[in-house]
Structures are given as structure tokens and as C-alpha cells.
């Protein structure tokens, strides 16, 4: 069952109830847990026609002892693959997502789930407990192929929650005008956003040309803290063509909008998606790093401008709340459907396995 189907079932109460009933019957017939069957299925596929590299090395190395297993895991953490067949872009992401959902909906694994979600999680302890409770082979031995698949996925799940904690901390960090690092980043953002234009003074009406509400942009960062500045700075630095197109659109004579303020709204939206676990599959596909989050932010901002300017009816800033609410629903639907939500799938900051074969899709 794919991650997309899991998403669909979660949003259809009746079908999800039937799915839970099917799981119960399957367990009664086979005596195995769904979690074990998922991991075992990954091992079986690795030994069949659909090798994904992830567990090919597992089944080869586990017969040689624990030391070989550790060598495998260290080598594969960068997303590289082994074996004769290249990993499909979504194979490992789908596997991690299925295990994530399985852990989330297991009433017997509440403690272990909380361990993985903790800021300073003890992943190995959580995995050891899961192996015992879910009846993995050899009394929950961590050396079986299925156990190693679970451990690998658990580390990725824990990393996604660590990112959430880090982003929350950054959003809670207030902009401090007396902090030289904060001030330097803000002034650097000006230079990126307004190349060739000299900022007359730190407190200036010029900031309103970038969509800040007043003469001191520091006051606008109160809601999302330094994360909002990080996001705007990254967008202007890494995707300047898209950034300046959006900035130009924000200066429309009638359908104008305050770019910086919109950017802060988008930061709030993106962090809410992470907090509500709607960005899990994205992170498993593209990476559990701040850079992968930033790439999603840039995509959302770029998409908002296209959504705003594509309106068939004349818009004014008074329409922003209505349009932005509709836009958020569209983004959530794209995440649900598994539509690519990055500007450049070949970006070096994204996981190599997320890059498609052949021609890449670039949006600028």
C-alpha cells in the first residue's frame, strides 16, 4: 500500500475503519504485525526484481555479523544505493512513510512513538522496544534484515521531528536589534533583495518597498521570529529569479501585496504543516534538513504569486485573506496527492534519491 493511499484512507473515516478491520484479520491469520510485514516486504522486494539498494546490502551483510551491518548503515546514510539497480526516487520515502503511519496508529506503541518525537530521542531504545512488542524474529534481535530496515526508517522519522523542534525554536527566537548577527542577516537580505540600491539608514521607509509594514522591519518578525527572516533570506539568495519575479508582482498598481508580510504568513503556514505532520512525506522524499524545508518554503512562495496573478477577477490587498486561505487548501491537496513541491528537484541540498531520472523538472 503506497503512502498516497494511506493518506487517502486517513481522510476517509469509513474506509479507514475497514482498513483497520482488514489489518486485524491479517494479523489473526498470519500471526504477524503489520509493522513486521512492511519491513519483511521491503526485504523480499530487495531480493526480487525491485531492488532498492536499502535492504540489498542488509540481506547480504547480516550473515557476516554485526560489524558488517554497521558498515552498511554508515555507508547508506547519504542516500546512496548499492547493487545493480538504481533506487527509484520514491521507494525509500514510501517505506519510511508507511512505517511512520503504522507507528502513529498503533495503540501499543504510544511510548515508543513519543520517544521518537522527543527533541533528544533515544532511537535505538525505542526500536528495541518496538521489535519486542511487535514480535520481530529471534526475540526482537536487532540484527535481522527486518529489524535493520525498521531501525533505518526510525532514525529518519526521528530526524523529521528534530527538524520540527529546531524550526520551532528558531520561530520562537525574537529578532534583537542589538544582536550583530541578526542585524547583519537583515542587511544582507536588503542587498540580496535590492541589488545596487543603497540603504540610506537602518530605519528607513525604503523597507516598505520589500513589503514591510513600517520603517523598521524588526517589528514585523514578532510572530515568526528569526525563522521568518531565515526564510526570506534563503529565498532571495538561492532562488533570486523567482524572488524578484514575485517582488515585481507585489508592486502591481492595483493587485499589489506586501511581499515581506506575505512571506511571514507563508512561514507560519509551512511551520503549521510540519506541526500537523502534513509535511512528513515531503521530508522523507527530499530530506529532513532545514535546507529541504527552505526549498519547500520557496516553492510555496513562488506558487502563491502564480495563484494570485492567475485570478480571473481583479484583486486588491483586501482579498488577501480569502485568496490565501484557498491557496493553503491547494497546497495541502498537492501534499496529499504527492505532487512535487520544490522549485528544482536537482537542487544539491535535496536527497539524491529524490532526483528523477532523465530530464529534471525545474520551475523558476
Amino acid at each position: 500500500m503506497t503512502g498516497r493511499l494511506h493518506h487517502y484512507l486517513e481522510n476517509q473515516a469509513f474506509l479507514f475503519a475497514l482498513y483497520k478491520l482488514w489489518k486485524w484479520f491479517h494479523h489473526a491469520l498470519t500471526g504477524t504485525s503489520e509493522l513486521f510485514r512492511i519491513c519483511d516486504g521491503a526485504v523480499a522486494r530487495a531480493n526480487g526484481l525491485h531492488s532498492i539498494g536499502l535492504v540489498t546490502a542488509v540481506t547480504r551483510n547480516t550473515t557476516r555479523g554485526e560489524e558488517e551491518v554497521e558498515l552498511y548503515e554508515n555507508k547508506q546514510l547519504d542516500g546512496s544505493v548499492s547493487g545493480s539497480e538504481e533506487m527509484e526516487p520514491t521507494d525509500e520515502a514510501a517505506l519510511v512513510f508507511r512505517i511512520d503511519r503504522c507507528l502513529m496508529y498503533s495503540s501499543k506503541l504510544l511510548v515508543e512513538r513519543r520517544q521518537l518525537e522527543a527533541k533528544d530521542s533515544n532511537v535505538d531504545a525505542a526500536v528495541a522496544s518496538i521489535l519486542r512488542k511487535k514480535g520481530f524474529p529471534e526475540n526482537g534481535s536487532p540484527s535481522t534484515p527486518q529489524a535493520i530496515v525498521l531501525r533505518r526508517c526510525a532514525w529518519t522519522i526521528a530526524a523529521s521531528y528534530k527538524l520540527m523542534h529546531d524550526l520551532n525554536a528558531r520561530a520562537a527566537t525574537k529578532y534583537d536589534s542589538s544582536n550583530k548577527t541578526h542585524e547583519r542577516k537583515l542587511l544582507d537580505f536588503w542587498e540580496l533583495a535590492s541589488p545596487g540600491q543603497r540603504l540610506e539608514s537602518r530605519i528607513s521607509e525604503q523597507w516598505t518597498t520589500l513589503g514591510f509594514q513600517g520603517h523598521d522591519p524588526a517589528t514585523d518578525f514578532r510572530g515568526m521570529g528569526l525563522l521568518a527572516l531565515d526564510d526570506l533570506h534563503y529565498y532571495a539568495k538561492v532562488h533570486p529569479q523567482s524572488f524578484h519575479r514575485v517582488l515585481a508582482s507585489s508592486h502591481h498598481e492595483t493587485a499589489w501585496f506586501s511581499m515581506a508580510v506575505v512571506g511571514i504568513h507563508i512561514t507560519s503556514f509551512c511551520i503549521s504543516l510540519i506541526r500537523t505532520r502534513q509535511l512528513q512525506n515531503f521530508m522523507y522524499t527530499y530530506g529532513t534538513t532545514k535546507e529541504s524545508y527552505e526549498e519547500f518554503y520557496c516553492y510555496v512562495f513562488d506558487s502563491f504569486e502564480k495563484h494570485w496573478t492567475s485570478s480571473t477577477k481583479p484583486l486588491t490587498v483586501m482579498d488577501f485573506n480569502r485568496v490565501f486561505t484557498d491557496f493553503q487548501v491547494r497546497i495541502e491537496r498537492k501534499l496529499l496527492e504527492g505532487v512535487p513541491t520544490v522549485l528544482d528537484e536537482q537542487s544539491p541540498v535535496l536527497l539524491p534519491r529524490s532526483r528523477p531520472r532523465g530530464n529534471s523538472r525545474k520551475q523558476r
Side-chain angles (χ1 to χ4, degrees), residues 315-344:
L315 296 177
T316 71
V317 70
M318 300 302 293
D319 296 303
F320 174 76
N321 287 337
R322 174 183 60 80
V323 173
F324 192 64
T325 297
D326 176 66
F327 171 71
Q328 291 177 89
V329 172
R330 289 171 180 261
I331 292 295
E332 290 173 350
R333 185 180 299 121
K334 286 186 176 182
L335 290 172
L336 183 66
E337 295 172 348
V339 175
T341 49
V342 292
L343 291 178
D344 181 4

Side-chain angles (χ1 to χ4, degrees), residues 29-42:
L29 289 172
T30 66
T32 60
S33 65
E34 183 189 26
L35 190 58
F36 171 77
R37 293 193 299 272
I38 292 172
C39 296
D40 190 53

Side-chain angles (χ1 to χ4, degrees), residues 340-352:
T341 49
V342 292
L343 291 178
D344 181 4
E345 289 190 285
Q346 287 195 320
S347 169
V349 304
L350 301 176
L351 284 181

Side-chain angles (χ1 to χ4, degrees), residues 104-156:
M104 178 182 295
Y105 293 111
S106 174
S107 59
K108 297 180 179 180
L109 299 177
L110 295 178
V111 173
E112 291 77 12
R113 179 76 194 190
R114 294 295 176 263
Q115 283 181 294
L116 294 177
E117 294 174 355
K119 184 177 181 180
D120 299 313
S121 59
N122 189 336
V123 179
D124 287 337
V127 170
S129 180
I130 293 169
L131 292 173
R132 291 192 301 270
K133 287 186 177 182
K134 289 299 179 176
F136 274 61
E138 301 178 20
N139 295 319
S141 168
S143 300
T144 64
Q146 296 84 359
I148 295 175
V149 169
L150 177 63
R151 182 176 184 272
R152 163 74 179 249
C153 294
W155 274 101
T156 302

Side-chain angles (χ1 to χ4, degrees), residues 186-203:
L186 178 62
L187 295 176
D188 190 38
F189 171 64
W190 169 266
E191 293 179 1
L192 291 167
S194 306
Q197 297 184 38
R198 179 176 174 273
L199 184 63
E200 295 176 359
S201 64
R202 165 65 179 77
I203 309 266

